[in-house]
Structure formats: structure tokens, C-alpha cells
Amino acid sequence: PDVKLGLLQGLGRLILGEPDAALAALDGSRSAAADLGRCAAWVEKGSQDRALAACQDALQKEPKNKIALANKKWLTKESR
């Protein structure tokens, strides 16, 4: 499967408010951007723990990713 196409489809589904379809489309993508897409989809589904795990996956790939760092900060505040 085309990984970039999956990323675009996943983000599009997320924008449309379809987190399950977004997660399915992002399934083959292993980039930090895809991890951030999964993070957003899990937030939409109400699963903070899975969202944080996806955010941490992004940070393992790109430790200085500002979006991932901001999401991690927000998610850890929300879970308190």
C-alpha cells in the first residue's frame, strides 16, 4: 500500500470526524506524522492513554518534534 496515501486518507478521515476510519487508514504508516494522526484519532475516541502512547511513538522517531512535545504536555495534564 502507498504509505503517503494512507497518511493523507487518515488525516482526511480525522478532519471528517471519523476516527475509526482514520486509524484504519493510518495503520500502514510508521512516520512521526502518522503517529500524530493516531494520537489525534485516539483523543477523538476518548482514549487518552492510547493517544499518549502514539505521541511517544512520534517522539521516539523525532525527539524534538514541537507538535508531539506539545501534545504530550497537554495529554499528561489531562490525565491528572
Side-chain angles (χ1 to χ4, degrees):
D2 187 334
V3 176
K4 289 182 182 179
L5 179 59
L7 177 60
L8 289 174
Q9 288 176 333
L11 295 177
R13 292 294 186 172
L14 191 57
I15 290 168
L16 292 172
E18 301 172 356
D20 290 321
L23 288 167
L26 292 166
D27 191 42
S29 300
R30 298 290 166 231
S31 67
D35 292 331
L36 291 172
R38 281 187 281 277
C39 175
W42 285 119
V43 167
E44 182 73 21
K45 289 179 61 73
S47 180
Q48 304 284 62
D49 291 341
R50 285 182 157 180
L52 183 57
C55 183
Q56 289 172 328
D57 288 343
L59 286 169
Q60 285 181 345
K61 294 171 184 120
E62 296 181 13
K64 295 182 180 181
N65 184 305
K66 290 180 182 182
I67 296 169
L69 290 167
N71 287 355
K72 180 181 175 187
K73 184 177 178 181
W74 180 80
L75 285 163
T76 53
K77 281 184 182 179
E78 287 292 308
S79 64
R80 286 186 202 162

